[in-house]
Amino acid sequence: MSRRGSQGSVDARPRSWRSRLRRLLPTAGRPARAVVAGFAMAVGVGTALLSLPVAAASRESTDFVHALFTATSAVSITGLAVVDTGSHWSTFGQVVILVLIQAGGLGIMTLASILGLLVSRRLGLGMELTAQRETRSLQLGDVRRVVIGVIRLSLLFEVVIAVVLGARLLIAYDYSPGDAVYSGIFHSVASFNNAGFSLHSDSMTRFVADPWISLTVSLAVIAGGLGFPVLFEVGRRLRGPHRWSMHAKITLGATALLLLIGFVFITASEWRNEHTMGGFGVPTKLLAGFFAAVMPRSGGLNSVDVGEMTSASLLVQDVLMFIGGGSGSTAGGIKVTTFALLAFVIVAEIRGEPTVHVMGRRLASSVQRQALTVALLSVGLVMLTTITLLSITPFSLDEVLFESISAVATVGLSTGITADLPPIAQVLMSALMFIGRLGPVTLAAALALRDRPRRYELPEERPIVG
């Protein structure tokens, strides 16, 4: 087609996918600002509601810092707590926390899935991609399918988990029907959304020998940590793993490997520890070890006392928490895909290969730079936080490093020092949970969606490395 004259001229060329996206999602041109504003508003509303006297069991207003910390922890689906959830908050307060967890979980899964669809235009979602590949555009119907799909899948998992937990509590633990239903729903939402909140002061330690509770919660955390794109793709192509996308294969493979490594190392380290697993029989030790290996991916619950674990176990959990779960999921961390891609880059460099090949595909250099950026910025944030907390608190390096990674990776596990942190440290931890939840998502999206062509290249030079 040709352009018209200067009067009333229009460009009849197809609109780029970016311009189409801005028409569909007005804030997509500046995703970071819109996302941060939305989640900050949720934190503000949650803080205001939790500060009300009706939100506390004592009917007295909760301290602002404690309300802010709890609201941030719930919205960022972390699970760190400065007050006991079951005893400090009234039913109203607990429902507010539950709603914040659900909103945060759905928001993160929806946001990450849509941004992932924007970046790759293909996450195995089966959304009539032929036209999309031709026009390089994102259609409004695709966004609608993602949002509806996330909500439906989340509610399906949460209902099934709540039924299993509620039935077990009713049958085996003499809960009243109302308490069993309420506890089942609360822990179902918390576990699937990878939020470490529990109505029990000892988290899940009372259920350490109960496979019905422990395995159900563990599987819920794993499912939530895989992410909507992977769950949807696996569900549609269950009998055709060879047709799964690279993203799904990497996420599932890396998740299985990390769970196995965590299970072996943590169980071996705690096998004879009388303060954790030493007094249990072999089946309970194995069950507790599996539970402890699952929770660092961002679950945040515990069936043994984390504060009594060996330094080796804490260090293994530090690594697992930092890596986190799958992209587009409720889990935190730098994500298993980022970790796996960096591993592939290292292997290719060791072999002296000019490009990185993964599962029959060449890995784009831009993706390699994005993974490296996310990982190194996260390392820097953890180190800065650890140094700051060491300077303003009396706790040991093991405790402070564990707490810092748990906040930055939005995990929720703690050695028990959270409530004893000074107010300034609790405010700092609130900021870390907020940054840790939104930072990797918005940063990765900004890096991937950025397109700044360079019209020239400078002469090449190779400095000495190592």
Side-chain angles (χ1 to χ4, degrees), residues 38-342:
F39 275 79
M41 185 180 299
V43 171
V45 172
T47 301
L49 292 175
L50 292 177
S51 298
L52 297 174
V54 69
S58 63
R59 293 299 187 268
E60 297 180 359
S61 297
T62 299
D63 177 76
F64 172 77
V65 173
H66 289 173
L68 172 65
F69 189 99
T70 304
T72 306
S73 184
V75 171
S76 64
I77 47 180
T78 302
L80 287 173
V82 289
V83 294
D84 181 62
T85 305
S87 61
H88 177 84
W89 303 109
S90 65
T91 301
F92 174 80
Q94 292 170 4
V95 171
V96 170
I97 293 173
L98 192 67
V99 171
L100 293 177
I101 292 173
Q102 185 71 83
L106 289 175
I108 286 294
M109 288 188 74
T110 302
L111 170 69
S113 298
I114 291 176
L115 291 178
L117 184 60
L118 294 180
V119 171
S120 66
R121 307 183 194 90
R122 184 181 184 275
L123 283 181
L125 299 178
M127 294 179 176
E128 296 84 36
L129 296 172
T130 303
Q132 182 176 313
R133 280 194 290 268
E134 292 297 326
T135 62
R136 294 178 176 268
S137 63
L138 177 67
Q139 302 300 326
L140 183 60
D142 294 340
V143 177
R144 185 180 296 112
R145 289 187 184 94
V146 170
V147 174
I148 294 176
V150 168
I151 294 175
R152 285 180 175 176
L153 195 63
S154 298
L155 293 180
L156 174 62
F157 270 96
E158 289 171 359
V159 168
V160 172
I161 297 163
V163 170
V164 175
L165 294 180
R168 182 62 176 172
L169 294 174
L170 181 64
I171 295 172
Y173 294 92
D174 295 328
Y175 275 54
S176 67
D179 290 341
V181 171
Y182 178 65
S183 182
I185 293 175
F186 188 96
H187 291 98
S188 170
V189 173
S191 58
F192 180 74
N193 288 285
N194 279 220
F197 284 96
S198 174
L199 296 176
H200 313 300
S201 58
D202 58 354
S203 190
M204 307 299 287
T205 58
R206 65 186 64 186
F207 307 116
V208 63
D210 190 332
W212 283 96
I213 301 292
S214 293
L215 290 179
T216 299
V217 171
S218 297
L219 293 176
V221 170
I222 293 173
L226 289 176
F228 168 73
V230 174
L231 292 175
F232 192 89
E233 183 173 352
V234 171
R236 294 195 62 176
R237 300 175 178 175
L238 186 60
R239 296 184 179 181
H242 61 283
R243 299 175 57 197
W244 293 349
S245 66
M246 180 195 298
H247 173 77
K249 292 178 181 178
I250 290 178
T251 301
L252 292 171
T255 295
L257 179 61
L258 292 172
L259 286 176
L260 177 61
I261 292 174
F263 170 71
V264 171
F265 276 88
I266 295 175
T267 305
S269 298
E270 302 300 324
W271 192 267
R272 298 183 183 277
N273 186 349
E274 294 298 327
H275 299 290
T276 54
M277 303 180 191
F280 301 146
V282 172
T284 302
K285 287 181 178 179
L286 296 177
L287 182 61
F290 179 73
F291 194 90
V294 171
M295 291 306 132
R297 63 182 288 107
S298 205
L301 299 168
N302 61 282
S303 61
V304 296
D305 189 351
V306 176
E308 297 293 340
M309 284 185 166
T310 64
S311 295
S313 294
L314 293 179
L315 184 58
V316 170
Q317 291 180 86
D318 285 340
V319 175
L320 294 176
M321 289 192 298
F322 183 78
I323 295 172
S327 300
S329 74
T330 56
I334 64 171
K335 303 299 188 293
V336 294
T337 45
T338 303
F339 174 76
L341 291 179
L342 290 176

Side-chain angles (χ1 to χ4, degrees), residues 366-449:
S366 59
V367 175
Q368 300 173 39
R369 294 195 300 269
Q370 292 159 22
L372 185 62
T373 302
V374 170
L376 289 183
L377 286 179
S378 298
V379 169
L381 184 59
V382 169
M383 291 299 99
L384 179 62
T385 303
T386 302
I387 294 172
T388 303
L389 290 180
L390 283 174
S391 303
I392 62 177
T393 67
F395 301 110
S396 67
L397 176 60
D398 278 352
E399 294 171 321
V400 168
L401 179 61
F402 193 93
E403 200 82 5
S404 299
I405 297 178
S406 182
V408 172
T410 64
V411 176
L413 289 174
S414 174
T415 57
I417 69 173
T418 309
D420 297 325
L421 293 173
I424 184 62
Q426 292 179 359
V427 173
L428 173 62
M429 295 287 284
S430 299
L432 286 174
M433 290 186 289
F434 191 84
I435 295 172
R437 172 51 59 187
L438 297 180
V441 175
T442 55
L443 175 61
L447 292 174
L449 293 176

Side-chain angles (χ1 to χ4, degrees), residues 11-24:
D11 190 344
R13 291 177 299 177
R15 293 179 179 270
S16 69
W17 67 275
R18 293 175 186 275
S19 62
R20 289 175 182 269
L21 173 60
R22 291 190 180 95
R23 293 182 63 194
L24 296 175

